[in-house]
Amino acid sequence: MFRTIFAILVILWAPLASAETRIPNSQAEISLGFAPLVKQAAPAVVNIYAKIVTEQRQRSPFMSDPFFDEFFQGFAKPRPRVQNSLGSGVILTADGIVVSNYHVVGMATEIRVVTTDRREYNARVVLADKASDLAILQLDDAAELPFLPLRDSDSVEVGELVLAVGNPFGVGQTVSSGIVSGLARSGSAAGGGLGYFIQTDAAINPGNSGGALIDVNGDLIGVNTRIVSRSGGSNGIGFAIPANLVREFVQQSRNGAEEFMRPWAGMSGQPIDADLAASLGMDLPEGMLISDLHPASPFAKAGFAVGDVITKVDGEVVNSPPEMVFRMTVAGMGSEAEFIRVRDGTETPIKVAMKPAPDDPPANPIQFDEHTTLPGLTVARVNPVIISRMASVPLPDDGVVVLDPGPYGARAGLQAGDVIRAINGAKVSAPTDVLKLMQDSGRRVAMDLFRRGQILKLRFRL
């Protein structure tokens, strides 16, 4: 009975020509199912085979022993290890621009793309971003390929019918159907990662990653990226990266970007709950409270202050920091976005420039060489660029951050992201301060650190 009702509701033959949905008018329309839609859209979804070559060292059973550790330095030579990755991708242009997930192709040394008609292409990554789990590929010698148009993902509504197309478990191209189960799912709800996702109950399994989530018109509304599952298989909770973010990736790749750029907010914030809304005199718990603001932030320059509430970006509601990051990103680098600020119960629209974090003062990274203490240690001055790239660095802050502790720094207890405030009681303001103070420290070193919200004192001997 359920299948019959479902078929009546989903067989939308007219939307192939019109965006307006309707109930089918005849038994012939009902019997067609999704077949016309699949024939139209499936050729633009490809299988991706990626090869990753990593180095793996053989370990001696004595290498973890402090006494024998130095005797085994350089004992094991790295051996190449080949890892194969299987996933899916979506063709976005006739000349072979393909979108997939970073975790499928981001670190690949060799990528092979196979279309539904068994044509094979070599591909290269032109733009990738681990935080967003997106990668843009360019197929070699490709022309006149079928492709999927990008839909405005802000127009997607909960309850819409969708199809997920991909290559689950490597069995071959597979289509599964479902609905949009939820919108504005943040990274925490989706099992981690920086993101803002469309949720669907269409079956998504390993191998579907990078595949298409399409609507009943055959337009791409999202790129399948992950699932929530205890077994590893589909439990009806899958997530797709919205098409609007994919569009920004394509635009930046066409502009020649080597690294995906996000506008810098220079702030930290928190969602508004019922208690916080009551304390702020708000009728409803909505928006995001600004809890900290960097002096160089474009929001500070536009008139925002700590304690203000942001409720909308370009007319779209935001209720958390991940939602605002997403809205700023899809607004596009170099544009101006309109934010609704609530202060003392008054709403004010304010335009803010979408710009990258400034390298001011200059980070001036320094790597310690073999003639210095703690060879391999790499440090830099904390500035907006560092803050934007390292989530563990507080906002605002001064001091010097550890970019890489190196082998000797790691043994001493240093970690990437540590902010060095002082060495043996002397304040640290620049990378050169660390170099000088370490050289003058003698055998004993005491460092004042800030690590993931905690103040630490690290003591070690050279």
Side-chain angles (χ1 to χ4, degrees):
M1 178 64 179
F2 172 80
R3 291 183 179 274
T4 302
I5 296 173
F6 184 71
I8 293 173
L9 292 174
V10 305
I11 308 309
L12 305 173
W13 189 220
L16 296 178
S18 169
E20 182 180 355
T21 60
R22 64 178 178 83
I23 295 174
N25 291 327
S26 67
Q27 182 63 37
E29 290 186 358
I30 295 174
S31 65
L32 285 173
F34 285 115
L37 177 59
V38 173
K39 288 180 182 179
Q40 171 190 328
V45 181
V46 297
N47 296 338
I48 294 179
Y49 302 89
K51 182 183 295 184
I52 304 172
V53 178
T54 59
E55 290 187 349
Q56 186 178 37
R57 290 181 179 270
Q58 289 182 317
R59 292 185 59 84
S60 162
F62 297 104
M63 289 180 70
S64 59
D65 188 293
F67 178 78
F68 289 102
D69 183 56
E70 293 193 11
F71 292 97
F72 286 93
Q73 292 296 318
F75 168 78
K77 294 183 179 180
R79 301 178 61 184
R81 180 187 177 191
V82 177
Q83 297 177 331
N84 293 307
S85 176
L86 174 66
S88 305
V90 184
I91 303 174
L92 299 179
T93 64
D95 60 352
I97 287 185
V98 173
V99 63
S100 186
N101 286 148
Y102 180 94
H103 74 261
V104 175
V105 299
M107 301 298 292
T109 53
E110 181 180 330
I111 303 171
R112 184 164 54 93
V113 174
V114 182
T115 62
T116 54
D117 58 6
R118 300 185 180 180
R119 284 181 290 174
E120 296 189 11
Y121 297 91
N122 292 325
R124 65 185 188 279
V125 177
V126 295
L127 185 62
D129 182 65
K130 185 176 182 179
S132 298
D133 197 21
L134 280 177
I136 302 297
L137 307 176
Q138 175 64 61
L139 306 187
D140 294 341
D141 303 319
E144 299 183 1
L145 294 175
F147 63 92
L148 291 184
L150 292 168
R151 174 179 165 184
D152 178 5
S153 53
D154 288 339
S155 67
V156 176
E157 297 181 315
V158 174
E160 281 195 41
L161 298 162
V162 291
L163 298 181
V165 189
N167 184 17
F169 298 108
V171 299
Q173 191 177 84
T174 302
V175 180
S176 54
S177 65
I179 63 169
V180 173
S181 305
L183 299 171
R185 299 302 195 221
S186 65
S188 58
L194 172 66
Y196 175 91
F197 304 99
I198 298 170
Q199 183 183 334
T200 180
D201 66 347
I204 296 175
N205 288 291
N208 272 108
S209 294
L213 188 69
I214 62 174
D215 63 12
V216 293
N217 296 309
D219 295 339
L220 185 73
I221 65 171
V223 173
N224 301 321
T225 183
R226 57 167 58 98
I227 59 175
V228 172
S229 172
R230 295 180 179 178
S231 64
S234 174
N235 283 345
I237 305 178
F239 298 94
I241 301 166
N244 285 1
L245 183 57
V246 176
R247 181 180 286 107
E248 179 62 19
F249 264 79
V250 173
Q251 184 62 47
Q252 290 196 25
S253 69
R254 287 191 178 280
N255 292 339
E258 297 181 356
E259 178 183 356
F260 184 70
M261 299 294 294
R262 292 180 181 82
W264 184 56
M267 71 165 70
S268 57
Q270 64 185 89
I272 305 290
D273 58 19
D275 293 337
L276 189 55
S279 68
L280 294 171
M282 299 175 64
D283 296 330
L284 296 173
E286 58 184 4
M288 187 198 77
L289 176 72
I290 299 176
S291 56
D292 209 347
L293 194 62
H294 195 283
S297 165
F299 286 86
K301 296 178 179 179
F304 286 82
V306 172
D308 289 345
V309 175
I310 296 174
T311 57
K312 290 183 179 180
V313 180
D314 285 337
E316 300 293 335
V317 175
V318 294
N319 287 308
S320 67
E323 288 184 46
M324 200 183 82
V325 169
F326 172 80
R327 292 298 168 197
M328 291 177 64
T329 303
V330 299
M333 190 69 72
S335 68
E336 278 193 336
E338 183 180 83
F339 294 77
I340 301 299
R341 182 192 70 185
V342 177
R343 178 187 291 178
D344 299 328
T346 302
E347 292 188 353
T348 306
I350 300 176
K351 295 276 190 177
V352 180
M354 299 293 97
K355 296 181 178 180
D359 187 25
D360 184 26
N364 292 333
I366 291 178
Q367 184 177 44
F368 287 29
D369 61 30
E370 65 272 14
H371 302 297
T372 59
T373 56
L374 302 183
L377 173 65
T378 305
V379 295
R381 185 198 303 264
V382 175
N383 70 3
V385 169
I386 296 296
I387 292 171
S388 69
R389 295 184 177 183
M390 304 186 74
S392 61
V393 178
L395 173 78
D397 203 356
D398 55 7
V400 173
V401 66
V402 176
L403 301 180
D404 185 348
Y408 295 95
R411 289 183 191 178
L414 288 171
Q415 298 178 11
D418 285 349
V419 177
I420 304 174
R421 297 280 179 76
I423 297 177
N424 291 337
K427 184 179 178 181
V428 169
S429 300
T432 51
D433 294 341
V434 178
L435 187 62
K436 183 178 184 303
L437 290 171
M438 289 295 295
Q439 289 174 335
D440 298 341
S441 63
R443 299 288 295 175
R444 296 180 181 274
V445 179
M447 283 189 178
D448 295 334
L449 305 175
F450 187 90
R451 177 185 295 170
R452 290 187 289 274
Q454 294 184 327
I455 297 175
L456 305 175
K457 186 174 286 289
L458 182 65
R459 301 178 185 274
F460 56 92
R461 295 184 62 183
L462 297 174

